[in-house]
Amino acid sequence: NSLANVFINTSNFDYAEEFLVKANSVFAKTDNSFYSVLANLNLGICHFSKKIPDYPKSKGAFKTALEYCDLLEPKKGSFYKAWIYNYIGAIYYKNGHYQEAIDNYNMSLQYTSDPMWESIAYMNIAESLIAEKRYDKANKWLNKSIAHESTLSEDNMLELNMIRASAFNGNGKYDK
């Protein structure tokens, strides 16, 4: 799993996948659910992040990771569930299934109390609503995200501002 992370971080997803498949076969023979969560989460990220994403494989790996999350102590399991549901939401979003994306982003909110993760989920919900041209509702979610903006990284702030611009543009509020 650690070697796979090196390959993921260098966008060498084919090599990462090879190591993660091996890691999964090793972890399946142990009682350590935590490593199975990580291996399947990372495998899902690999399939999601490839130049030509394989969303069905990604979703399958995320669903397997969710099953292992149920075997972890609740706090740790919830942390990973929030992350995984956010990725599943992103898969639905990328495939144009915006309501399913919103449902999964809302699921991620059920498993986190971290203001940064909440802000990201709010932002993702807003982006899905914008895609559905539901701008007023999107603005409500953007305002929730903005309330936690101090917790966001510079990249997340840039994304938040781009989504805000899309919402204003959709509402015809170009001057804001």
Side-chain angles (χ1 to χ4, degrees):
N1 197 40
S2 296
L3 271 173
N5 279 330
V6 171
F7 290 121
I8 289 171
N9 290 330
T10 59
S11 299
N12 203 333
F13 301 113
D14 291 327
Y15 283 121
E17 181 180 356
E18 186 179 319
F19 282 98
L20 289 166
V21 168
K22 288 178 185 176
N24 264 333
S25 68
V26 170
F27 297 146
K29 298 173 188 169
T30 70
D31 288 333
N32 194 327
S33 300
F34 175 69
Y35 290 117
S36 293
V37 168
L38 292 180
N40 283 287
L41 171 62
N42 287 332
L43 189 57
I45 291 169
C46 264
H47 293 303
F48 181 89
S49 302
K50 286 182 175 183
K51 195 173 202 173
I52 300 172
D54 189 336
Y55 295 131
K57 280 186 178 180
S58 182
K59 188 175 169 188
F62 290 139
K63 293 284 188 179
T64 301
L66 283 172
E67 291 171 16
Y68 282 109
C69 282
D70 289 334
L71 303 174
L72 300 177
E73 60 95 3
K75 186 174 182 179
K76 189 178 277 188
S78 290
F79 171 80
Y80 287 103
K81 282 182 179 184
W83 196 1
I84 294 165
Y85 278 115
N86 195 62
Y87 263 110
I88 293 171
I91 291 170
Y92 282 115
Y93 177 85
K94 298 240 182 223
N95 284 295
H97 301 285
Y98 304 118
Q99 187 55 55
E100 289 92 341
I102 292 167
D103 293 344
N104 278 276
Y105 296 140
N106 275 313
M107 284 294 290
S108 76
L109 285 169
Q110 290 180 24
Y111 291 103
T112 190
S113 59
D114 181 316
M116 181 195 72
W117 280 107
E118 287 175 345
S119 185
I120 290 169
Y122 297 150
M123 188 176 11
N124 289 338
I125 290 168
E127 189 173 33
S128 296
L129 291 166
I130 290 167
E132 292 183 325
K133 299 185 182 349
R134 295 165 58 193
Y135 303 110
D136 288 336
K137 197 163 188 174
N139 280 325
K140 291 176 187 174
W141 286 97
L142 283 170
N143 288 335
K144 287 183 174 194
S145 184
I146 291 166
H148 297 299
E149 69 183 342
S150 65
T151 66
L152 294 175
S153 69
E154 204 171 297
D155 287 344
N156 289 136
M157 279 303 300
L158 179 61
E159 183 178 359
L160 175 61
N161 286 324
M162 289 171 54
I163 293 168
R164 288 173 70 192
S166 294
F168 284 128
N169 186 32
N171 275 331
K173 298 178 181 174
Y174 308 107
D175 58 340
K176 292 191 179 189

